[in-house]
Amino acid sequence: MQFVLIDVIRVMKIIPLSEGSFTIDKTKLFVPFDEAQHVLNERPVGSLLVEIQPFVVITSKDVLLLDTGLGFNDNKEGRMQLLTNLEKAGVKPEQVTKVLMSHLHKDHAGGVSLENNHGSLSLPNADYYVQKRELDFALEKGLPSFIPDEINILVNSPRVKLLHDEEGAIDDYIAYRHTGAHSLHHQVFWIRENNEIIFFGGDDAPQLQHMKVRYKTKYDHDPDKAMQLRQLWWQQGNEEGWTFLFYHDIKSPVWKHVK
Ligand SMILES: [Zn+2]
């Protein structure tokens, strides 16, 4: 009799938590976009149409949340859309163990705190990983890109782990790097487990299309650097088989190059 040993390799589970499509113009307000009612060409010139979607990544050690969405309320449920979306995906808010923040613009950090006076963190058992310089800058700069009331809690909460370095590791399997490309102190993350690499570039790498073509934007803090980084990551990611997570991509939130 012959026995065949099968190695069961756990694959990290990725769940996009879509908050919907939004149009944004120079007023920097995110307005829900309803395809059935609105016409793309009737929006102000220069408007962008973007998806907003935080991600859950379930590894063997953690339930990770990557950025926290707009923090808008789900009117039907009467609570934050982020929390409703988590539950719909089968994840209880208490189960999230780490929140990784790419940067603190309001479309990424709106869900950091609970809406009633923003006095508590939204994920009660999670550690929040935030770049210290981004937090200082966001609080100093304020509106319209940052909402200090929503993120003030990050300053003194014992659950917040402020990151100070250019690059480093979180629990040996998550790497972060400060880029300063999209925002002055933006950071990106790699999550590595069982030969799998998930890359979360936040707004340095917001959509698949921005990776494929040389694309310089008006809204990046350092457009040249952002474009160069995207090209570098795209090349390296395809060589090494990274899975890319695109926070603002309507069609392809999760993308992996198949060899
Ligand atoms: Zn964004």
Side-chain angles (χ1 to χ4, degrees):
M1 206 177 182
Q2 245 190 342
F3 290 95
V4 182
L5 277 179
I6 301 170
D7 249 349
V8 180
I9 295 183
R10 223 192 114 105
V11 178
M12 290 187 274
K13 187 173 177 190
I14 298 167
I15 310 169
L17 303 175
S18 171
E19 302 198 343
S21 305
F22 295 82
T23 138
I24 173 171
D25 61 22
K26 50 182 183 314
T27 62
K28 300 205 173 174
L29 289 174
F30 285 81
V31 180
F33 182 79
D34 180 352
E35 262 179 82
Q37 282 182 26
H38 302 121
V39 180
L40 270 180
N41 296 339
E42 286 177 1
R43 299 171 306 147
V45 179
S47 296
L48 296 170
L49 182 67
V50 296
E51 186 72 17
I52 304 283
Q53 69 216 329
F55 292 90
V56 167
V57 177
I58 301 176
T59 74
S60 62
K61 301 188 188 87
D62 283 300
V63 176
L64 305 171
L65 176 66
L66 311 183
D67 287 350
T68 64
L70 280 160
F72 287 1
N73 231 41
D74 180 323
N75 291 330
K76 266 190 257 145
E77 302 282 334
R79 64 171 178 171
M80 212 195 292
Q81 198 179 0
L82 172 72
L83 302 179
T84 305
N85 286 347
L86 276 171
E87 298 249 358
K88 274 191 203 151
V91 178
K92 292 201 171 66
E94 308 85 67
Q95 291 175 308
V96 177
T97 51
K98 288 184 173 68
V99 179
L100 309 180
M101 298 299 302
S102 67
H103 65 307
L104 298 175
H105 281 160
K106 62 188 176 186
D107 54 322
H108 296 252
V112 154
S113 56
L114 290 176
E115 55 273 49
N116 47 357
N117 70 41
H118 308 290
S120 49
L121 292 169
S122 51
L123 290 315
N125 298 321
D127 289 330
Y128 285 61
Y129 292 84
V130 177
Q131 179 66 228
K132 169 78 164 69
R133 287 169 283 175
E134 174 77 3
L135 180 57
D136 292 345
F137 180 72
L139 292 175
E140 181 197 315
K141 195 89 180 163
L143 299 167
S145 295
F146 304 97
I147 303 181
D149 281 352
E150 293 179 345
I151 55 175
N152 249 324
I153 189 163
L154 296 172
V155 177
N156 283 321
S157 168
R159 299 225 67 124
V160 175
K161 313 286 177 203
L162 293 173
L163 305 174
H164 299 262
D165 299 330
E166 283 303 298
E167 56 187 345
I170 299 165
D171 281 7
D172 290 336
Y173 81 106
I174 301 167
Y176 70 87
R177 186 172 299 154
H178 172 279
T179 63
H182 170 71
S183 67
L184 186 56
H185 295 296
H186 194 288
Q187 60 188 0
V188 299
F189 298 94
W190 291 264
I191 304 155
R192 294 186 171 88
E193 191 169 87
N194 294 331
N195 295 323
E196 237 191 307
I197 302 173
I198 292 174
F199 174 67
F200 179 55
D203 277 359
D204 286 347
Q207 296 181 356
L208 176 61
Q209 195 58 21
H210 295 200
M211 310 304 287
K212 288 182 169 174
V213 293
R214 284 172 65 87
Y215 188 78
K216 226 194 265 190
T217 66
K218 280 195 226 86
Y219 48 80
D220 283 326
H221 160 72
D222 187 339
D224 287 301
K225 188 173 188 187
M227 188 178 73
Q228 283 161 16
L229 284 173
R230 283 194 287 271
Q231 289 194 293
L232 179 79
W233 292 329
W234 190 236
Q235 191 188 349
Q236 201 186 346
N238 284 336
E239 283 164 15
E240 297 178 2
W242 300 357
T243 300
F244 290 84
L245 305 183
F246 297 122
Y247 191 88
H248 287 305
D249 202 304
I250 291 169
K251 290 202 188 102
S252 315
V254 181
W255 200 92
K256 189 174 173 162
H257 182 77
V258 182
K259 282 182 187 166

Short mmCIF file of all heavy atoms in Angstrom, two decimals, residues 107-108 203 248, ligand 1:
data_model
loop_
_atom_site.label_atom_id
_atom_site.label_comp_id
_atom_site.label_asym_id
_atom_site.label_seq_id
_atom_site.Cartn_x
_atom_site.Cartn_y
_atom_site.Cartn_z
N ASP A 107 -10.50 59.39 2.80
CA ASP A 107 -11.16 58.23 2.19
C ASP A 107 -10.51 56.92 2.64
O ASP A 107 -10.98 55.84 2.32
CB ASP A 107 -11.17 58.33 0.66
CG ASP A 107 -9.79 58.56 0.05
OD1 ASP A 107 -9.00 59.31 0.65
OD2 ASP A 107 -9.50 57.97 -1.01
N HIS A 108 -9.42 57.01 3.39
CA HIS A 108 -8.74 55.81 3.90
C HIS A 108 -8.84 55.71 5.42
O HIS A 108 -8.75 54.62 5.97
CB HIS A 108 -7.25 55.84 3.50
CG HIS A 108 -7.06 55.78 2.02
ND1 HIS A 108 -6.58 54.66 1.38
CD2 HIS A 108 -7.34 56.69 1.05
CE1 HIS A 108 -6.56 54.89 0.07
NE2 HIS A 108 -7.01 56.11 -0.14
N ASP A 203 -2.59 54.45 -2.04
CA ASP A 203 -2.77 55.36 -3.18
C ASP A 203 -1.49 55.59 -3.98
O ASP A 203 -1.50 56.34 -4.95
CB ASP A 203 -3.35 56.69 -2.70
CG ASP A 203 -4.86 56.60 -2.56
OD1 ASP A 203 -5.42 55.52 -2.84
OD2 ASP A 203 -5.48 57.61 -2.17
N HIS A 248 -8.70 51.63 -5.09
CA HIS A 248 -9.64 52.47 -5.84
C HIS A 248 -10.07 51.87 -7.18
O HIS A 248 -10.57 52.59 -8.04
CB HIS A 248 -9.03 53.86 -6.09
CG HIS A 248 -8.96 54.72 -4.87
ND1 HIS A 248 -10.04 55.01 -4.09
CD2 HIS A 248 -7.90 55.36 -4.28
CE1 HIS A 248 -9.68 55.79 -3.08
NE2 HIS A 248 -8.38 56.00 -3.16
ZN ZN B 1 -7.53 57.45 -1.72
#
